[in-house]
Every structure is written in structure tokens, then in C-alpha cells.
Amino acid sequence: VGLFLMDCVSLAGWWLVVQSRVQAWPRPSLSLSPSHDVALGDRVTLQCHVPRQGGRATLHKEGVPHALWYQDKVWGAAEFPIPAARREDAGRYWCRYEIKGEEPEESERVGLVLRGE
């Protein structure tokens, strides 16, 4: 549930009340497991940790114009496994979390670096 602030603006003698939304929930966060020392062929899981239940989490990678995966009705964390890491899996990822009717929130970018790359 968001908090709202009321701002008053005067335009030619008329007063307008403007509502502005203040973010009350933390942003989602993305983590890798394992977080370091991933080699070609290793299993790695990207986990999108979300602040509330019931929304959709999507996983994104820089350079890819669409979401790679999604999971609905997330509670706690959505997991996106890579069973055997390939060279093309290296890169910067982020997750996006949205609940219907609200603005989506994005995590910070996280880099997947493969050992020996």
C-alpha cells in the first residue's frame, strides 16, 4: 500500500491538490547462487527477492529486448535456474516485479561472470 502526499498548487487563483505517490515498499533485489566462481557448465540460479506476495516477477538481461522468464503469484522469491551455464549466459541481469494496477519496480543490475571469461 503506497503512501500519498498532498501538494497544493496555485494556478491563476485556483488551487489544485496534487497527489504524489511515495514508495512504501522496498524494491525487488536479484541475487545469484552461487554468487561467485561460476564456470562453464555449472548450475546457477538467479533469485528475484520480492517485498510482497501475489505479483509477477520477470527476469531480464541487458541486450535482450524482452523478458527471459516470468513467474506469477510470487511469494518471497522467484527462482530462475540456469542448469548448465554457457558463454552466452554471462552478462548483466535484473528482475522486475509488478502487481496488477501498480507501477512495476526493478532491481539493481547483477553481473553473471563465468570463471575464465
PDB file of all heavy atoms in Angstrom, residues 32 46 61-62 87-93 110-114:
ATOM      1  N   LEU A  32      22.481 -14.135  -7.124  1.00  0.00           N
ATOM      2  CA  LEU A  32      22.930 -15.338  -7.831  1.00  0.00           C
ATOM      3  C   LEU A  32      23.364 -16.374  -6.816  1.00  0.00           C
ATOM      4  O   LEU A  32      23.959 -16.038  -5.795  1.00  0.00           O
ATOM      5  CB  LEU A  32      24.132 -15.020  -8.729  1.00  0.00           C
ATOM      6  CG  LEU A  32      23.953 -13.938  -9.780  1.00  0.00           C
ATOM      7  CD1 LEU A  32      25.282 -13.662 -10.471  1.00  0.00           C
ATOM      8  CD2 LEU A  32      22.924 -14.357 -10.800  1.00  0.00           C
ATOM      9  N   LEU A  46      19.269 -17.665 -10.491  1.00  0.00           N
ATOM     10  CA  LEU A  46      19.023 -16.236 -10.258  1.00  0.00           C
ATOM     11  C   LEU A  46      17.748 -16.153  -9.435  1.00  0.00           C
ATOM     12  O   LEU A  46      16.728 -16.746  -9.799  1.00  0.00           O
ATOM     13  CB  LEU A  46      18.868 -15.501 -11.585  1.00  0.00           C
ATOM     14  CG  LEU A  46      20.152 -15.461 -12.426  1.00  0.00           C
ATOM     15  CD1 LEU A  46      20.157 -16.594 -13.432  1.00  0.00           C
ATOM     16  CD2 LEU A  46      20.275 -14.138 -13.120  1.00  0.00           C
ATOM     17  N   LYS A  61      17.733  -9.468 -19.206  1.00  0.00           N
ATOM     18  CA  LYS A  61      19.178  -9.425 -19.427  1.00  0.00           C
ATOM     19  C   LYS A  61      19.482  -8.273 -20.368  1.00  0.00           C
ATOM     20  O   LYS A  61      18.761  -8.065 -21.353  1.00  0.00           O
ATOM     21  CB  LYS A  61      19.657 -10.741 -20.041  1.00  0.00           C
ATOM     22  CG  LYS A  61      21.154 -10.800 -20.241  1.00  0.00           C
ATOM     23  CD  LYS A  61      21.581 -12.128 -20.843  1.00  0.00           C
ATOM     24  CE  LYS A  61      23.084 -12.119 -21.048  1.00  0.00           C
ATOM     25  NZ  LYS A  61      23.490 -13.227 -21.920  1.00  0.00           N
ATOM     26  N   GLU A  62      20.526  -7.515 -20.050  1.00  0.00           N
ATOM     27  CA  GLU A  62      20.922  -6.411 -20.919  1.00  0.00           C
ATOM     28  C   GLU A  62      21.180  -6.937 -22.322  1.00  0.00           C
ATOM     29  O   GLU A  62      21.799  -7.989 -22.499  1.00  0.00           O
ATOM     30  CB  GLU A  62      22.162  -5.711 -20.371  1.00  0.00           C
ATOM     31  CG  GLU A  62      21.853  -4.856 -19.166  1.00  0.00           C
ATOM     32  CD  GLU A  62      23.053  -4.089 -18.645  1.00  0.00           C
ATOM     33  OE1 GLU A  62      24.182  -4.247 -19.167  1.00  0.00           O
ATOM     34  OE2 GLU A  62      22.866  -3.323 -17.686  1.00  0.00           O
ATOM     35  N   ARG A  87      28.569 -19.702 -22.376  1.00  0.00           N
ATOM     36  CA  ARG A  87      29.201 -18.392 -22.566  1.00  0.00           C
ATOM     37  C   ARG A  87      28.162 -17.295 -22.748  1.00  0.00           C
ATOM     38  O   ARG A  87      28.299 -16.205 -22.213  1.00  0.00           O
ATOM     39  CB  ARG A  87      30.130 -18.408 -23.774  1.00  0.00           C
ATOM     40  CG  ARG A  87      31.377 -19.203 -23.571  1.00  0.00           C
ATOM     41  CD  ARG A  87      32.338 -19.024 -24.741  1.00  0.00           C
ATOM     42  NE  ARG A  87      33.358 -20.063 -24.755  1.00  0.00           N
ATOM     43  CZ  ARG A  87      34.368 -20.149 -23.912  1.00  0.00           C
ATOM     44  NH1 ARG A  87      34.479 -19.246 -22.967  1.00  0.00           N
ATOM     45  NH2 ARG A  87      35.243 -21.123 -23.979  1.00  0.00           N
ATOM     46  N   GLU A  88      27.100 -17.566 -23.514  1.00  0.00           N
ATOM     47  CA  GLU A  88      26.085 -16.549 -23.787  1.00  0.00           C
ATOM     48  C   GLU A  88      25.229 -16.207 -22.572  1.00  0.00           C
ATOM     49  O   GLU A  88      24.474 -15.237 -22.598  1.00  0.00           O
ATOM     50  CB  GLU A  88      25.201 -16.945 -24.984  1.00  0.00           C
ATOM     51  CG  GLU A  88      24.550 -18.278 -24.861  1.00  0.00           C
ATOM     52  CD  GLU A  88      25.333 -19.424 -25.510  1.00  0.00           C
ATOM     53  OE1 GLU A  88      26.587 -19.394 -25.522  1.00  0.00           O
ATOM     54  OE2 GLU A  88      24.679 -20.356 -25.980  1.00  0.00           O
ATOM     55  N   ASP A  89      25.349 -16.974 -21.478  1.00  0.00           N
ATOM     56  CA  ASP A  89      24.619 -16.652 -20.250  1.00  0.00           C
ATOM     57  C   ASP A  89      25.302 -15.558 -19.440  1.00  0.00           C
ATOM     58  O   ASP A  89      24.676 -14.927 -18.584  1.00  0.00           O
ATOM     59  CB  ASP A  89      24.444 -17.897 -19.373  1.00  0.00           C
ATOM     60  CG  ASP A  89      23.531 -18.931 -20.007  1.00  0.00           C
ATOM     61  OD1 ASP A  89      22.542 -18.530 -20.653  1.00  0.00           O
ATOM     62  OD2 ASP A  89      23.813 -20.133 -19.867  1.00  0.00           O
ATOM     63  N   ALA A  90      26.588 -15.321 -19.697  1.00  0.00           N
ATOM     64  CA  ALA A  90      27.304 -14.257 -18.989  1.00  0.00           C
ATOM     65  C   ALA A  90      26.671 -12.916 -19.361  1.00  0.00           C
ATOM     66  O   ALA A  90      26.207 -12.733 -20.486  1.00  0.00           O
ATOM     67  CB  ALA A  90      28.786 -14.267 -19.355  1.00  0.00           C
ATOM     68  N   GLY A  91      26.595 -12.007 -18.402  1.00  0.00           N
ATOM     69  CA  GLY A  91      26.053 -10.680 -18.670  1.00  0.00           C
ATOM     70  C   GLY A  91      25.405 -10.089 -17.441  1.00  0.00           C
ATOM     71  O   GLY A  91      25.516 -10.621 -16.335  1.00  0.00           O
ATOM     72  N   ARG A  92      24.708  -8.970 -17.649  1.00  0.00           N
ATOM     73  CA  ARG A  92      24.061  -8.250 -16.544  1.00  0.00           C
ATOM     74  C   ARG A  92      22.559  -8.496 -16.589  1.00  0.00           C
ATOM     75  O   ARG A  92      21.922  -8.313 -17.621  1.00  0.00           O
ATOM     76  CB  ARG A  92      24.386  -6.767 -16.626  1.00  0.00           C
ATOM     77  CG  ARG A  92      25.882  -6.525 -16.345  1.00  0.00           C
ATOM     78  CD  ARG A  92      26.308  -5.094 -16.530  1.00  0.00           C
ATOM     79  NE  ARG A  92      25.494  -4.119 -15.840  1.00  0.00           N
ATOM     80  CZ  ARG A  92      25.624  -3.758 -14.567  1.00  0.00           C
ATOM     81  NH1 ARG A  92      26.535  -4.324 -13.816  1.00  0.00           N
ATOM     82  NH2 ARG A  92      24.847  -2.832 -14.047  1.00  0.00           N
ATOM     83  N   TYR A  93      22.020  -8.914 -15.447  1.00  0.00           N
ATOM     84  CA  TYR A  93      20.607  -9.259 -15.305  1.00  0.00           C
ATOM     85  C   TYR A  93      19.943  -8.335 -14.291  1.00  0.00           C
ATOM     86  O   TYR A  93      20.595  -7.755 -13.426  1.00  0.00           O
ATOM     87  CB  TYR A  93      20.469 -10.696 -14.792  1.00  0.00           C
ATOM     88  CG  TYR A  93      20.911 -11.756 -15.760  1.00  0.00           C
ATOM     89  CD1 TYR A  93      22.250 -12.129 -15.856  1.00  0.00           C
ATOM     90  CD2 TYR A  93      19.991 -12.416 -16.563  1.00  0.00           C
ATOM     91  CE1 TYR A  93      22.651 -13.118 -16.739  1.00  0.00           C
ATOM     92  CE2 TYR A  93      20.380 -13.410 -17.445  1.00  0.00           C
ATOM     93  CZ  TYR A  93      21.715 -13.751 -17.531  1.00  0.00           C
ATOM     94  OH  TYR A  93      22.112 -14.734 -18.404  1.00  0.00           O
ATOM     95  N   VAL A 110      22.727  -7.093 -11.786  1.00  0.00           N
ATOM     96  CA  VAL A 110      23.675  -8.033 -11.193  1.00  0.00           C
ATOM     97  C   VAL A 110      24.421  -8.715 -12.335  1.00  0.00           C
ATOM     98  O   VAL A 110      23.791  -9.165 -13.300  1.00  0.00           O
ATOM     99  CB  VAL A 110      22.954  -9.090 -10.327  1.00  0.00           C
ATOM    100  CG1 VAL A 110      23.912 -10.156  -9.840  1.00  0.00           C
ATOM    101  CG2 VAL A 110      22.271  -8.420  -9.137  1.00  0.00           C
ATOM    102  N   GLY A 111      25.730  -8.804 -12.209  1.00  0.00           N
ATOM    103  CA  GLY A 111      26.530  -9.421 -13.277  1.00  0.00           C
ATOM    104  C   GLY A 111      26.798 -10.895 -13.028  1.00  0.00           C
ATOM    105  O   GLY A 111      27.163 -11.290 -11.931  1.00  0.00           O
ATOM    106  N   LEU A 112      26.571 -11.692 -14.063  1.00  0.00           N
ATOM    107  CA  LEU A 112      26.950 -13.115 -14.035  1.00  0.00           C
ATOM    108  C   LEU A 112      28.248 -13.216 -14.826  1.00  0.00           C
ATOM    109  O   LEU A 112      28.261 -13.005 -16.043  1.00  0.00           O
ATOM    110  CB  LEU A 112      25.858 -13.994 -14.654  1.00  0.00           C
ATOM    111  CG  LEU A 112      26.235 -15.472 -14.865  1.00  0.00           C
ATOM    112  CD1 LEU A 112      26.636 -16.135 -13.543  1.00  0.00           C
ATOM    113  CD2 LEU A 112      25.076 -16.223 -15.495  1.00  0.00           C
ATOM    114  N   VAL A 113      29.331 -13.492 -14.107  1.00  0.00           N
ATOM    115  CA  VAL A 113      30.647 -13.611 -14.709  1.00  0.00           C
ATOM    116  C   VAL A 113      31.060 -15.069 -14.610  1.00  0.00           C
ATOM    117  O   VAL A 113      31.004 -15.664 -13.534  1.00  0.00           O
ATOM    118  CB  VAL A 113      31.683 -12.715 -13.979  1.00  0.00           C
ATOM    119  CG1 VAL A 113      33.069 -12.878 -14.583  1.00  0.00           C
ATOM    120  CG2 VAL A 113      31.231 -11.258 -14.019  1.00  0.00           C
ATOM    121  N   LEU A 114      31.453 -15.631 -15.750  1.00  0.00           N
ATOM    122  CA  LEU A 114      31.904 -17.018 -15.754  1.00  0.00           C
ATOM    123  C   LEU A 114      33.399 -17.081 -15.579  1.00  0.00           C
ATOM    124  O   LEU A 114      34.137 -16.316 -16.221  1.00  0.00           O
ATOM    125  CB  LEU A 114      31.475 -17.712 -17.050  1.00  0.00           C
ATOM    126  CG  LEU A 114      29.968 -17.759 -17.288  1.00  0.00           C
ATOM    127  CD1 LEU A 114      29.666 -18.391 -18.637  1.00  0.00           C
ATOM    128  CD2 LEU A 114      29.280 -18.522 -16.173  1.00  0.00           C
TER     129      LEU A 114
END
